[in-house]
Amino acid sequence: MSASVSAPRRHPAPGAGTVAELVRAQWHDPRPGGLRAAGLSLTRHATAAAAAARAALLADLLPRGAEPHIGVLLDNTPEYPLWLAAAALAGATVVGVNPTRRGAELARDISHTECALLVTERAHLALLDGLELPVLRRGGPGPGRLLVTDEPGYAELLRPYATAEPGEVTVAPPEPSRRMLLTFTSGSTGAPKAVVVTQGRLVGAGSALADRFALGRDDVHYLCMPLFHGNAVIAGWAPALTAGAGVALARRFSASRFLPDVRARGATYFTYVGRAIQYLLATPPREDDADNPLRLGFGTEAGPVDADRFAARFGVRLVEGYGSSEGGAALQHDPDAPPGAVGRAAPGTDAAVVDPDTGTERPRARRGPDGRPTEVAAAIGELVNRGPNGFEGYWKNPAADAARTRNGWFWTGDLFFRDEEGWFHFAGRADDRLRVDGENLAAAVIENTLAHCPGVHSAAVYAVPDPVSGDQVMAALAVGPEGAFDPQGFSAFLAGRTELATKAAPRFVRILPALPLTATHKIDRAALRRAGFRCPEPVWWTPYEDVREPGAGARGRAPGTGYRPLTGPDLAALLARYEAHGRAGLVGGGPRPDGWSPAPSRRG
């Protein structure tokens, strides 16, 4: 190997509690299946050897004095977990770069996190065109490096380091407190923040999940969620390392390839987020669906109805959990939890639901005769952890750190309510709160109801501005490619849902074949909010009889009492009302396409 320009250290392996130690343990493990992907199967030893080669290369490529930050702009290819392991061995940091970002936003992510090396593949090179970043300089001496893993020169670059051993060369001591990951938040309320995850926190999270689910050396973790997101690394890759399990990769999530992949790679455990479970349930049923090696899935937002359907069809138990990507608060699932509840506070967590303005604890929801929570609206608040927490900060964002940890508590930014038996129920993101006629509503609570409507595959609820003040409720309903909207049936369904608050019925309903999703398979609420009711798809609405009183009352028709298509003339008249009250600038979307007309409805 050539001498390193960053003066790498050679020192004994650190003590317990580091990802580096777990990677080094693979060096002495000859078992097959350490890393499985399309056309590839590496033993545990070969996986550790490949990581060691990349760690040594990293030490030679990093500019002197630079932060040892490696931007990884890859799909779930074998190179991704190899660079995660290499960073752990070298005491460096992986920055998960989101390939759905573009232009100035992508450049901002890379420059803000001070990436001194960028690892990518040819499929993503076009994303970098025109970006002015030092790290994009390729070849020769310079302040940055760009490595393209599927170009011939990459293998040649690695060849001199093939004999490196794990821990032989580092750029910083791989201690538990050493920064291991910078993983970006969703950015729904501003520019994405880079969350710091140390080696110690990653090991702790992996160990906790491995112990909780009795994961072991014979398990194979199927990573189908994107590795640039914390879910796949913290809940999938880290538990595999701590348990000594194998790792199987899907380049991208695919509902149609899910079961063939699982069977071919012998996967026993997987993680999910967002609507992945709904996509799997939407695939055509087969008699052999339950003939698969999976025993457990762990994730969020599947919902109790879909979890039961998934278990009945595929024979796989889904366990829902809640944990902020910042590590500041966690709720633990309990099999005795009532339907819709996430769980109770995790051990060591002093969780509470509080008024975000005053910090006072919200009253608890009661349970009605039918078992459903009642008095929910008054119970909703922000989930906080008032005890010790694992939040390690954001990268160079002290204002965001202070907002997250104000008054000595960790504020999650998520809305919950707690019932009288102590179970926590998710109610949405804090920015998904709506205020209709002076009443606060939580989008997730309404969504959970709408998702049970016959013919509705999934639902998203969000605020659109009211013509006079506050918000109105809009819902996007996914009905499938062949579906249609039954306005009378929908109204009847709403009338029968006594758990809905009086203002919670949607004023506007957008009908789509499927909901728009982000790269992490979460509903793209920002796109839905931007379009509002000025979107190309059909929109149904309950018209305002009197714009001065848009809610229920003597002069205003209550939402949910009857829906009709939002026609071109309706839209023009509605926009005129916004203009009259000086609120036209709040209305998103754009003009409807020429010839727009609503989809046919079902009567009956």
Side-chain angles (χ1 to χ4, degrees):
M1 292 175 223
S2 60
S4 170
V5 296
S6 54
R9 302 178 181 88
R10 299 175 187 270
H11 52 74
T18 67
V19 179
E21 182 181 19
L22 297 174
V23 176
R24 284 199 299 272
Q26 293 186 317
W27 177 261
H28 303 291
D29 188 345
R31 289 179 301 143
L35 182 59
R36 309 176 190 187
L40 175 74
S41 180
L42 297 180
T43 66
R44 269 74 166 176
H45 169 79
T47 302
R54 285 155 180 78
L57 171 64
L58 167 65
D60 276 357
L61 288 183
L62 279 177
R64 187 182 300 276
E67 290 286 353
H69 291 182
I70 313 157
V72 178
L73 178 61
L74 295 169
D75 291 335
N76 284 11
T77 68
E79 288 292 334
Y80 211 124
L82 291 177
W83 275 101
L84 285 170
L89 291 172
T93 304
V94 164
V95 178
V97 183
N98 185 343
T100 68
R101 303 272 282 174
R102 296 292 186 273
E105 291 182 341
L106 179 62
R108 179 262 173 198
D109 292 349
I110 296 170
S111 61
H112 170 64
T113 50
E114 301 178 42
C115 293
L117 184 71
L118 185 61
V119 180
T120 190
E121 55 188 314
R122 282 180 288 189
H124 295 318
L125 280 177
L127 300 178
L128 304 174
D129 287 347
L131 301 188
E132 295 295 330
L133 292 169
V135 76
L136 297 183
R137 254 173 247 178
R138 302 172 65 185
R145 292 289 187 275
L146 176 68
L147 301 180
V148 184
T149 60
D150 50 358
E151 285 188 346
Y154 180 71
E156 292 300 316
L157 193 63
L158 279 170
R159 197 179 309 279
Y161 303 92
T163 59
E165 296 187 12
E168 181 183 0
V169 179
T170 68
V171 295
E175 299 166 342
S177 60
R178 186 62 194 167
R179 190 169 56 251
M180 166 77 195
L181 294 175
L182 290 178
T183 179
F184 285 103
T185 63
S186 64
S188 58
T189 57
K193 299 178 284 290
V195 179
V196 173
V197 181
T198 61
Q199 292 210 23
R201 177 149 84 91
L202 198 56
V203 170
S207 298
L209 288 174
D211 291 344
R212 179 178 168 193
F213 298 134
L215 301 171
R217 290 161 59 88
D218 295 330
D219 281 301
V220 176
H221 293 208
Y222 182 57
L223 306 186
C224 55
M225 295 292 103
L227 280 160
F228 68 78
H229 189 260
N231 169 278
V233 177
I234 297 172
W237 183 73
L241 277 182
T242 59
V247 170
L249 297 175
R251 184 179 181 92
R252 295 187 180 121
F253 171 77
S254 166
S256 62
R257 293 197 305 269
F258 181 84
L259 276 185
D261 265 4
V262 161
R263 291 171 178 143
R265 296 167 193 179
T268 59
Y269 169 89
F270 77 105
T271 66
Y272 60 87
V273 296
R275 298 301 184 220
I277 298 302
Q278 292 182 356
Y279 279 124
L280 291 169
L281 290 170
T283 59
R286 294 171 52 98
E287 291 184 0
D288 63 349
D289 279 342
D291 182 14
N292 66 76
L294 284 172
R295 65 179 180 88
L296 181 69
F298 175 67
T300 61
E301 300 178 14
V305 174
D306 283 346
D308 289 344
R309 291 175 59 203
F310 196 87
R313 177 174 166 184
F314 298 105
V316 181
R317 180 169 66 104
L318 299 184
V319 176
E320 292 272 303
Y322 170 85
S324 65
S325 58
E326 292 88 347
L331 301 175
Q332 188 164 299
H333 178 77
D334 187 308
D336 295 328
V342 174
R344 298 188 188 275
T349 300
D350 181 12
V353 176
V354 304
D355 183 312
D357 296 321
T358 65
T360 56
E361 196 161 351
R362 289 290 198 185
R364 299 194 182 188
R366 301 189 180 277
R367 195 165 295 280
D370 59 357
R372 295 173 181 165
T374 64
E375 304 176 29
V376 169
I380 292 173
E382 186 169 348
L383 180 70
V384 300
N385 179 10
R386 300 176 296 195
N389 66 79
F391 179 50
E392 297 172 314
Y394 297 113
W395 175 252
K396 293 192 174 180
N397 197 336
D401 289 347
R404 190 63 75 191
T405 57
R406 62 188 186 275
N407 300 327
W409 295 354
F410 180 84
W411 297 73
T412 65
D414 289 325
L415 300 177
F416 275 79
F417 67 89
R418 197 176 189 183
D419 65 30
E420 55 192 343
E421 297 176 357
W423 299 103
F424 288 87
H425 300 249
F426 182 67
R429 291 285 300 169
D431 59 316
D432 289 333
R433 187 170 7 197
L434 304 86
R435 188 167 179 83
V436 180
D437 292 357
E439 183 175 329
N440 289 321
L441 304 172
V445 172
I446 307 172
E447 287 174 356
N448 290 340
T449 296
L450 299 186
H452 289 82
C453 181
V456 174
H457 295 177
S458 55
V461 170
Y462 45 100
V464 293
D466 180 83
V468 180
S469 65
D471 303 320
Q472 282 295 326
V473 180
M474 184 162 183
L477 305 181
V479 298
E482 304 300 327
F485 180 60
D486 175 6
Q488 293 179 359
F490 187 66
S491 293
F493 169 81
L494 293 175
R497 306 301 291 202
T498 57
E499 74 272 21
L500 276 181
T502 56
K503 310 290 185 181
R507 173 74 70 178
F508 301 93
V509 179
R510 177 180 178 181
I511 305 301
L512 305 95
L515 297 179
L517 299 178
T518 67
T520 55
H521 300 277
K522 295 183 178 180
I523 295 173
D524 191 348
R525 299 179 189 279
L528 292 171
R529 282 192 290 261
R530 281 195 301 270
F533 48 74
R534 300 176 71 188
C535 53
E537 294 86 7
V539 172
W540 298 76
W541 74 315
T542 300
Y544 296 98
E545 288 188 350
D546 187 329
V547 74
R548 292 171 298 170
E549 193 171 5
R555 295 178 297 166
R557 179 183 298 166
T561 58
Y563 289 90
R564 77 180 196 197
L566 180 64
T567 65
D570 287 336
L571 180 61
L574 184 58
L575 294 176
R577 289 176 172 176
Y578 282 92
E579 184 70 38
H581 290 274
R583 305 199 95 203
L586 301 179
V587 181
R592 291 284 180 80
D594 291 341
W596 177 89
S597 63
S601 66
R602 292 196 305 268
R603 301 289 180 184

